[in-house]
């Protein structure tokens, strides 16, 4: 019998995807659940709603709460935190690079590195040099990956991920979709999502 699995949809510009990405692998492994890393873009989903930026920007009180909540969350997890400028960052290139990487551990390692760079160090993740350094740090030669990230195949794969997210009813990140189609949204729902997948509900 195949191990239960869960799809982890994440957007590199998403603030709460940072803590989720840093712990999702461990939570899933502990429960015996296969975690599939699914980078995608929230921009097209927000555009369908008439939004041109993050809801955390359009609602200032909500935005202030989110940043303070992240300070508490990251301090509790002993992870560095720095508010990116601008927010949200342009995450297109990072998402394409992640899509070009195989989901065999390298995609997860790169994704965690991007989040730590963006939300821990305040680095500009739209910068190819920044992403190249992160690739080298995980043992991947950057030049071929950056070329692959611009290929029609990778662009189409990322568009397909966005369509899959829409089909699953995803409206924000991080989101988790179990094999039976159950949707869980938010870093604070990660454990519940993995437990659901493990039960094979």
């Amino acid at each position: 019998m195949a191990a239960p699995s869960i799809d982890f949809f994440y957007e590199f510009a998403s603030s709460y995807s940072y803590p989720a990405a840093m712990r999702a692998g461990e939570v899933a492994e502990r429960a015996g659940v296969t975690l599939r890393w699914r980078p995608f873009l929230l921009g097209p989903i927000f555009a369908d709603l008439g939004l041109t930026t993050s809801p955390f920007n359009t609602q200032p009180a909500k935005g202030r709460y989110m940043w303070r909540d992240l300070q508490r969350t990251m301090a509790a997890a002993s992870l560095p935190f720095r508010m990116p400028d601008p927010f949200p960052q342009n995450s297109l290139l990072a998402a394409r690079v992640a899509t070009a990487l195989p989901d065999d551990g390298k995609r997860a390692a790169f994704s965690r590195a991007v989040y730590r760079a963006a939300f821990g160090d305040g680095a500009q993740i739209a910068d190819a040099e920044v992403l190249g350094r992160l690739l080298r740090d995980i043992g991947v030669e950057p030049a071929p990956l950056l070329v692959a990230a611009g290929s029609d195949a990778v662009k189409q794969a990322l568009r397909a991920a966005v369509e899959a997210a829409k089909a699953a009813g995803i409206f924000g990140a991080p989101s988790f979709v179990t094999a039976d189609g159950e949707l869980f949204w938010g870093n604070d729902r990660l454990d519940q999502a993995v437990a659901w997948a493990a039960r094979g509900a």
Side-chain angles (χ1 to χ4, degrees):
M1 181 177 176
S5 64
I6 191 166
D7 285 342
F8 170 30
F9 284 87
Y10 57 99
E11 150 74 78
F12 285 117
S14 161
S15 54
Y16 282 108
S17 290
Y18 172 32
M22 303 311 282
R23 68 191 190 93
E26 181 182 345
V27 172
E29 182 178 8
R30 192 165 57 238
V33 172
T34 298
L35 186 71
R36 292 197 290 251
W37 291 72
R38 302 289 303 274
F40 80 117
L41 299 171
L42 277 173
I45 293 174
F46 286 167
D48 288 347
L49 300 174
L51 297 173
T52 58
T53 186
S54 167
F56 291 121
N57 287 343
T58 59
Q59 301 178 56
K62 185 176 183 179
R64 287 191 297 272
Y65 173 84
M66 180 268 289
W67 292 121
R68 180 59 187 140
D69 185 51
L70 275 173
Q71 287 175 335
R72 295 189 298 254
T73 299
M74 304 321 291
S78 298
L79 288 168
F81 176 70
R82 181 175 172 182
M83 180 176 170
D85 183 20
F87 175 79
Q89 288 206 52
N90 184 329
S91 60
L92 177 60
L93 180 57
R96 286 177 176 171
V97 172
T99 301
L101 284 165
D103 191 8
D104 62 358
K106 291 295 187 184
R107 182 182 293 172
F110 173 75
S111 298
R112 287 191 294 266
V114 171
Y115 280 117
R116 190 181 285 268
F119 291 96
D121 302 331
Q124 299 297 310
I125 60 169
D127 187 331
E129 290 188 8
V130 170
L131 299 182
R133 172 174 55 81
L134 299 179
L135 285 167
R136 281 191 294 271
D137 287 347
I138 65 166
V140 174
E141 178 60 35
L145 255 295
L146 291 170
V147 170
S151 69
D152 288 340
V154 167
K155 291 177 182 178
Q156 180 55 42
L158 184 55
R159 284 193 290 268
V162 173
E163 293 306 312
K166 289 181 179 180
I170 288 174
F171 52 86
S175 287
F176 309 92
V177 181
T178 59
D180 63 344
E182 198 75 13
L183 171 64
F184 297 83
W185 170 56
N187 173 54
D188 58 349
R189 290 295 180 266
L190 167 58
D191 297 270
Q192 185 181 16
V194 169
W196 185 282
R199 288 199 306 268

